[in-house]
Amino acid sequence: GIGGRPAFPQDGNPRSQAIFIHTIEPGQTIDEGVDVINNTSEKKIINVYGVDSVVSSGGSFACAQQLDTQKSTGTWLKLEKNEVTLEPYKSEIVKFKIVAPANASAGEQNGCIVIQEKKVSQTDSNTSGALLSFRTGLRIALLVPGEIKRELVFKSFEKAPNDAEKILFKAQVKNSGNVSIDTDVKLQTKYFFGVDQSTQQVQFPVLRD
């Protein structure tokens, strides 16, 4: 119902239609904007804010919470406003600046612009329960020029205990470089006499560190 997208995608870079992607020098400022969209039939008050990126429990990209102390890229994001009111089926561009500190380290820096409906506090004493608010996070991927290190280390491979129907295999790799790496993970099982039994393959982005 509500969401957003980069307001100024770059010609010739299809990734910039879904995420904010830039090369930024230490001390440089980049002007950007997020197109905040209300695609519902109701008037909505929407919060817009910047946060750091975090690694989810499975190792993939996620966005920090608004109440978390922002320590890295979240502090680089200076929004023109943090709240918009949108009529049904309307949108508005919220401009913001990406300000890299003078001591920004080389490599990839990630953060998020988050779009979240503002929920009105429930004051009716006859009601109870949780007040849920869903959010959309748009990734910000910044590359600070300098020495780029790409290194992927195989950490472990293990088989979880069998159950009645399936076997669970776990492979763990670590990105010890300073940029994300798109990694092909392939699991191939064979019969004991060498004939292939099955092959499963996925691509998984492994974030820096």
Side-chain angles (χ1 to χ4, degrees), residues 6 16 59-60 104 109 112 121 150 159-160 163 194 198:
S16 67
S60 59
Q109 309 288 342
C112 298
S121 299
R150 295 179 182 273
K159 178 175 72 70
D163 65 20
S198 69

Side-chain angles (χ1 to χ4, degrees), residues 63-132:
C63 300
Q65 297 295 320
Q66 185 177 17
L67 295 180
D68 292 341
T69 300
Q70 309 307 318
K71 300 177 180 179
S72 57
T73 311
T75 65
W76 301 13
L77 309 176
K78 315 297 181 184
L79 279 78
E80 187 177 68
K81 60 173 71 175
N82 293 107
E83 182 179 297
V84 294
T85 301
L86 293 179
E87 298 295 332
Y89 307 110
K90 297 295 183 181
S91 65
E92 179 179 331
I93 293 176
V94 175
K95 294 183 179 180
F96 65 94
K97 294 181 182 294
I98 306 171
V99 183
N103 62 349
S105 60
E108 185 179 312
Q109 309 288 342
N110 285 284
C112 298
I113 291 291
V114 178
I115 298 160
Q116 183 173 6
E117 182 179 358
K118 182 178 181 180
K119 291 293 187 179
V120 179
S121 299
Q122 182 61 262
T123 57
D124 186 350
S125 60
N126 295 321
T127 62
S128 62
L131 195 63
L132 298 179

